[in-house]
Amino acid sequence: MSYCEKEDDNTALWIKDSPSVFLSGVSRFRRWLFPALTATVIVILIIALGASNVKTSNRLWSVEQSVSNLSEVIQSLNASLQHAEETAKRVQRLQFAVENNKDQLTSVSEALKQLSVVDSLQRSVASLKCSLERIINNSSVSEGCCPLGWDQFHFSCYFFSGSSLSWNESRVWCETHGGHLVILHSDEAWDFVTSRTMPVLFWVGLSDWRTGRWEWINQTPYTMERRRWVPGQPDSWSGHGLGHGDEDCAHLHSNGRLNDLHCSTRLRYVCQRHSMRA
């Protein structure tokens, strides 16, 4: 065999081996292609499932929130219904009480009418008494007269209580009896009242609780007269231990002079009113 023939044989052999190498690479590519595709598909499925799970979780959370809110609404409705039922029961009880108390209300109305008649009779009796006293005492018609238990001085009537009340309770008592806590403007009135109060303590119509300034019960400003007060008074003492505030109300002391005291203290009191005309 010649050299050329040998060379041709080698070339032929090389050409035959090349397809084998190419096929081997393709075969390896095919072997890895399917697992890679499978893995890719699996990853895509996992991502899709994860996204779906997130959406599902969000939807479930939203549903749970809705259910929770609905439960709260139901509880609120139940409470409202229970309250409405209790209110309806109370209304029924009130209606029943009103029906049962109609007779009692009628009796009270009749009693009030009788009291009105009695009050009118009392005024008539007082007027008659006033006329009789003027005739007996030969007094002036212009002076008038006072109710039973009241003392007359000039054109006013004075009541000196035997019981003790707070300053405000005393004020109310005087007002319900047609008068007010005593107001003392003149020396004659001071002498008349103090001659009947000493040595007992009596409330008078003087205070500073409303504005911080001393004034009479009819809101007339009070002009300070030191000679009318116990020395060192008023001192607005706050260590009394009787609650809020200091000493805002005035009373006549045992010596007939003024002193300030906590308004809740219970003392006797002096009322004043105009005398009646027959």
Side-chain angles (χ1 to χ4, degrees):
M1 180 181 295
S2 67
Y3 177 79
C4 290
E5 291 176 350
K6 289 181 181 180
E7 188 177 352
D8 291 337
D9 290 341
N10 290 334
T11 303
L13 289 173
W14 182 84
I15 294 173
K16 291 179 181 178
D17 289 341
S18 294
S20 175
V21 173
F22 176 76
L23 291 174
S24 176
V26 172
S27 177
R28 284 197 300 271
F29 176 75
R30 288 179 177 176
R31 269 201 314 270
W32 288 104
L33 178 62
F34 180 75
L37 289 174
T38 302
T40 303
V41 170
I42 291 173
V43 169
I44 292 171
L45 288 174
I46 291 173
I47 293 172
L49 288 174
S52 177
N53 286 335
V54 170
K55 291 181 180 179
T56 303
S57 298
N58 291 334
R59 289 176 181 175
L60 288 175
W61 182 84
S62 178
V63 170
E64 289 177 355
Q65 288 295 112
S66 299
V67 171
S68 176
N69 294 336
L70 182 60
S71 298
E72 293 177 357
V73 171
I74 292 173
Q75 291 177 357
S76 178
L77 288 174
N78 288 335
S80 299
L81 288 173
Q82 184 177 1
H83 180 70
E85 291 176 355
E86 293 175 353
T87 303
K89 290 179 181 179
R90 286 197 295 269
V91 170
Q92 290 177 351
R93 287 196 294 269
L94 287 173
Q95 290 176 342
F96 181 75
V98 169
E99 291 294 331
N100 289 340
N101 291 330
K102 279 184 177 179
D103 294 337
Q104 295 180 7
L105 292 173
T106 302
S107 299
V108 170
S109 177
E110 292 297 327
L112 290 174
K113 291 179 181 179
Q114 293 176 6
L115 286 175
S116 177
V117 172
V118 170
D119 184 60
S120 178
L121 289 173
Q122 286 178 340
R123 287 196 297 269
S124 298
V125 170
S127 178
L128 180 60
K129 173 182 175 292
C130 181
S131 299
L132 291 174
E133 285 183 351
R134 283 209 308 270
I135 293 172
I136 293 172
N137 297 325
N138 196 24
S139 59
S140 171
V141 175
S142 61
E143 290 185 358
C145 56
C146 298
L148 292 174
W150 293 63
D151 296 333
Q152 184 174 347
F153 180 72
H154 293 331
F155 298 100
S156 295
C157 302
Y158 298 84
F159 176 79
F160 299 86
S161 76
S163 59
S164 298
L165 297 173
S166 68
W167 188 89
N168 192 57
E169 291 170 340
S170 302
R171 176 187 61 81
V172 172
W173 193 97
C174 294
E175 290 175 354
T176 56
H177 288 77
H180 52 78
L181 282 171
V182 67
I183 297 174
L184 301 172
H185 287 306
S186 66
D187 291 340
E188 292 83 0
W190 277 98
D191 294 339
F192 171 78
V193 170
T194 55
S195 66
R196 285 162 174 75
T197 59
M198 293 188 297
V200 184
L201 310 184
F202 280 80
W203 285 124
V204 297
L206 185 63
S207 69
D208 68 346
W209 64 268
R210 197 177 69 89
T211 63
R213 295 172 178 263
W214 288 99
E215 62 182 5
W216 292 108
I217 192 71
N218 61 357
Q219 298 183 13
T220 301
Y222 169 73
T223 301
M224 181 61 67
E225 294 182 86
R226 292 295 176 185
R227 66 189 179 95
R228 298 292 186 191
W229 289 83
V230 173
Q233 303 299 325
D235 60 356
S236 300
W237 187 51
S238 59
H240 42 69
L242 297 175
H244 177 71
D246 51 34
E247 298 177 323
D248 293 323
C249 296
H251 71 94
L252 290 172
H253 212 283
S254 58
N255 58 6
R257 291 188 175 186
L258 293 171
N259 177 56
D260 59 337
L261 202 60
H262 194 272
C263 299
S264 66
T265 308
R266 299 175 70 86
L267 300 178
R268 294 186 183 183
Y269 49 94
V270 183
C271 298
Q272 181 182 6
R273 58 172 289 175
H274 291 297
S275 58
M276 297 182 299
R277 303 294 177 84

